[in-house]
Amino acid sequence: MPVLKFRSPAVVAFVTTAALVLCPAQAFAGYGHGGSTNGGSDTTASGNAGGDGSVSAVAGAVVYDRGNNGSGDSVGPVTSAASNWTPPACYYAPKYTPEQLEKYMKKLWAAESTGYQWDAQRREKFEGGGSYKDFNKDKAGEGYFWDSYVTEGREGDPGALDCTKDIFWVDTGDAPPPDIPQAITPEMLAQLAYAEIRVPSTRVELAPEGTTKVNLPTWAWLDAAKFKPVSVTASVPLLQVQATTTAEPLSLRIEPGTPDATTYPASGVCELNGDRIGEPYARGKSDRTPPCGVRYLRSSGDNSYPLRATVTWKISWTGTGVNGAQPLPDGEFGAGQDVIVQEIQSVNR
């Protein structure tokens, strides 16, 4: 089994996470078994990263392999298209060996910053034999103490206070207690990876480009080669569980930036067709209706219209103990661009 290295027993991890939906038997089927969990990348969670930035670890708990993720200056995170899908702000995962917990607790007690009553309760629980005698040192190497982690950027959210369970012990290969719904699982790792997905900017090709005319169909398209599937793998090497989340381009939604416009198709949603979305304009197509585009019905005057193009990504995951790809909410990433619309000038003779 890979060895989990902690930089400090007092470290608190901040990662993005999501809801637990698997039953314990399925979620923890691979704990303590198998080999490398993230496609050959370094699985020792020591906080180190590869030179290309493809692998990183947080407080010895979760390792990310971003080798197949989107890259470049224009990439950005997807946003869930499901308004009722919000990742929770905390979760539980292994954090301390018996020796590390002892050092951490004794440091707190020496500081006398947590109050006599709290310190006395913890001394009884972890040192005096209330729940764990002498910090479970007699079980060293046979498991870990688990504690809560807080999602990066969610420290001030009310949900960050949902993980109220005190530090608890889990034997190697065992599932955590069933009364802890925030205990990390492959499904949760998949949603951690969801938050790490980066996709390209959605600035569309337009013809005419930049400036168009009233009632003149403007063609819009994207080269799907720039929107190839991307993926991120999240794993817990200590538990030897992993999940890979993959995003694939699905469709493009055009929002003209004004109600005085007609979109093609009428829904404004252009579906992926082979290796592209929409169709490039070419000579000889001026009398055709674009499969993807917009027709402005009124001039933008001295200003421009803020056209917005949003790509919807189909997101799914595979991982430890799961047969076949499992769905996650579709993701969206959009960008705006200015379009100038002019009146067609006529010549009076």
Side-chain angles (χ1 to χ4, degrees):
M1 173 182 290
V3 176
L4 184 66
K5 301 177 183 177
F6 289 84
R7 287 188 177 275
S8 166
V11 169
V12 178
F14 299 102
V15 295
T16 306
T17 186
L20 167 67
V21 298
L22 295 181
C23 65
Q26 182 183 16
F28 298 93
Y31 278 25
H33 305 281
S36 175
T37 60
N38 67 349
S41 298
D42 179 17
T43 59
T44 302
S46 62
N48 297 321
D52 61 356
S54 62
V55 178
S56 66
V58 183
V62 177
V63 173
Y64 295 104
D65 182 351
R66 302 182 181 88
N68 295 316
N69 204 11
S71 60
D73 295 336
S74 64
V75 300
V78 293
T79 301
S80 171
S83 60
N84 61 346
W85 190 79
T86 303
C90 65
Y91 73 97
Y92 290 94
K95 187 176 288 188
Y96 306 108
T97 65
E99 181 182 359
Q100 289 164 345
L101 182 62
E102 179 184 32
K103 290 180 180 180
Y104 173 55
M105 285 295 182
K106 288 189 174 181
K107 184 177 180 180
L108 288 180
W109 298 337
E112 298 182 348
S113 59
T114 49
Y116 174 81
Q117 183 176 359
W118 189 92
D119 290 350
Q121 290 174 345
R122 294 305 178 276
R123 286 181 184 275
E124 171 61 20
K125 178 174 182 178
F126 296 108
E127 190 176 41
S131 296
Y132 310 104
K133 183 179 180 180
D134 194 20
F135 297 93
N136 256 15
K137 288 180 184 177
D138 61 332
K139 301 187 72 173
E142 300 177 13
Y144 282 83
F145 283 104
W146 288 42
D147 199 5
S148 61
Y149 292 71
V150 179
T151 302
E152 182 178 6
R154 303 286 298 279
E155 294 85 356
D157 288 8
L161 303 177
D162 287 346
C163 295
T164 58
K165 182 76 173 180
D166 198 8
I167 297 170
F168 57 93
W169 177 267
V170 178
D171 286 335
T172 299
D174 286 355
D179 62 341
I180 305 176
Q182 301 95 344
I184 199 162
T185 66
E187 170 74 7
M188 188 174 289
L189 286 170
Q191 298 181 62
L192 283 167
Y194 187 114
E196 297 298 316
I197 289 287
R198 297 296 181 265
V199 295
S201 172
T202 53
R203 184 176 178 86
V204 296
E205 301 287 341
L206 297 174
E209 181 181 1
T211 301
T212 188
K213 304 295 184 181
V214 171
N215 286 320
L216 176 68
T218 299
W219 293 57
W221 69 93
L222 285 172
D223 181 359
K226 299 178 181 178
F227 293 84
K228 62 183 179 181
V230 298
S231 65
V232 172
T233 296
S235 63
V236 180
L238 177 65
L239 302 177
Q240 297 193 359
V241 293
Q242 63 84 30
T244 297
T245 298
T246 301
E248 303 175 81
L250 190 62
S251 61
L252 168 69
R253 184 174 72 252
I254 298 290
E255 297 171 276
T258 173
D260 296 316
T262 298
T263 57
Y264 305 103
S267 65
V269 177
C270 309
E271 302 292 340
L272 178 67
N273 182 15
D275 61 352
R276 66 189 180 196
I277 298 176
E279 182 179 322
Y281 177 78
R283 288 181 178 274
K285 295 182 179 181
S286 59
D287 60 343
R288 291 175 49 188
T289 298
C292 182
V294 60
R295 178 166 61 93
Y296 288 97
L297 307 178
R298 182 173 296 184
S299 167
S300 60
D302 295 331
N303 298 309
S304 59
Y305 290 127
L307 180 143
R308 185 168 183 82
T310 302
V311 171
T312 296
W313 296 78
K314 178 182 178 181
I315 302 184
S316 60
W317 71 279
T318 59
T320 304
V322 175
N323 295 321
Q326 306 296 311
L328 286 170
D330 289 345
E332 297 181 336
F333 185 57
Q337 57 198 92
D338 294 331
V339 177
I340 298 172
V341 182
Q342 300 175 339
E343 296 282 359
I344 296 177
Q345 301 297 319
S346 60
V347 178
N348 295 323
R349 295 181 181 274

